[in-house]
Amino acid sequence: MAVKGRTPFLAGNWKMNLDHLQAVAFVQKLNWSLRDAGHDRGAVEVGVFPPFTDLRSVQTLIDADRIAFSLGAQDVSVHDSGAYTGEISGQFLAKLQVAYVIVGHSERRQYHGETDEIVGQKVQASLRHGLTPVICVGETAEDLEEHGASAVPVAQLQAALQGVTADADIVVAYEPVWAIGSGQAATPQQAQEVCATLRQVVAEKLGADAAERTRILYGGSVKAANIASFMREPDIDGALVGGASIVVDEFSAIIRYQKHVGV
Ligand code: 13P
């Protein structure tokens, strides 16, 4: 079971799904589903990470209905303002009460050429604006075969934490690329091993207190059926969920993992 003091974090990365009208309907339904199930709002933190165009609508809804979800964005510019067509500043996100930003997701590394250096700059941009970066790291199938599971995520995290101070608020997400959207999740033991190693990296870079406090999530084909087994591991403090996070009943059940048999 994740260590007490680190509030479990169930975060839904919607990726490029749901327009702003669908987003509002989805958040309302998810909230009703949790309420109907008698979910204890204090038990876990729930995060939704919609596309940029949905953020304002979701923020307004969360605010008006006092919904206990944290709001996150899926990316942030390395710049604060200026002639950067199409970019979104952390400053704008902070104004929308966005609390978290996904940084270095493998889809951005793969399709948008985000290097470790850019990811590091995005971590800095997030922190500059009071946003908590959710730093994504993970190995491809080839990396796994060549270097084992930990080497690439460790190197990615070391690079991302360059220049980060010990008091910074960060979240780390271990997402093996081969497990994303494949239906083939890592085993809880595999994920625990890497997450424990990543916690050591946080300890080396930011100190023991930061390592104790920092939440490390697992991501990659997380479903209602497997979430409880991940959450039993001591170094897994939550999940970054893709596909299953945009299905109301499924994400609702993931959030209520503590009620699953045997947890
Ligand atoms: P899936 O849950 O669809 O495998 O996606 C995981 C992910 O990439 C979350 O960021």
Side-chain angles (χ1 to χ4, degrees), residues 83-97:
Y84 302 104
T85 302
E87 291 286 276
I88 303 289
S89 167
Q91 202 177 320
F92 309 157
L93 298 176
K95 274 268 187 238
L96 284 174
Q97 286 150 34

Side-chain angles (χ1 to χ4, degrees), residues 13 15 102 105 107 175 179-182 219-222 240-244:
N13 174 11
K15 308 191 179 184
I102 294 173
H105 192 280
E107 286 149 18
E175 298 205 305
I180 294 177
S182 66
S221 297
V222 170
L240 186 55
V241 186

Side-chain angles (χ1 to χ4, degrees), residues 129-208:
H129 297 292
L131 305 163
T132 300
V134 177
I135 304 169
C136 299
V137 298
E139 82 288 359
T140 62
E142 296 77 57
D143 294 333
L144 180 64
E145 198 146 299
E146 263 181 59
H147 314 287
S150 293
V152 167
V154 162
Q156 289 173 335
L157 186 58
Q158 283 170 335
L161 294 182
Q162 210 60 46
V164 172
T165 55
D167 60 342
D169 210 4
I170 59 161
V171 172
V172 177
Y174 168 53
E175 298 205 305
V177 181
W178 49 267
I180 294 177
S182 66
Q184 191 203 339
T187 66
Q189 295 73 24
Q190 278 173 320
Q192 160 60 24
E193 212 173 298
V194 180
C195 289
T197 310
L198 294 173
R199 197 174 299 287
Q200 280 168 22
V201 173
V202 178
E204 282 155 24
K205 286 276 181 192
L206 308 183

Side-chain angles (χ1 to χ4, degrees), residues 194-247:
V194 180
C195 289
T197 310
L198 294 173
R199 197 174 299 287
Q200 280 168 22
V201 173
V202 178
E204 282 155 24
K205 286 276 181 192
L206 308 183
D209 285 357
E212 192 57 34
R213 161 182 100 233
T214 295
R215 290 177 296 180
I216 302 185
L217 317 181
Y218 167 76
S221 297
V222 170
K223 307 262 180 296
N226 61 20
I227 181 67
S229 60
F230 287 107
M231 296 306 292
R232 276 192 206 106
E233 299 295 337
D235 287 292
I236 300 179
D237 306 310
L240 186 55
V241 186
S245 80
I246 53 169
V247 180

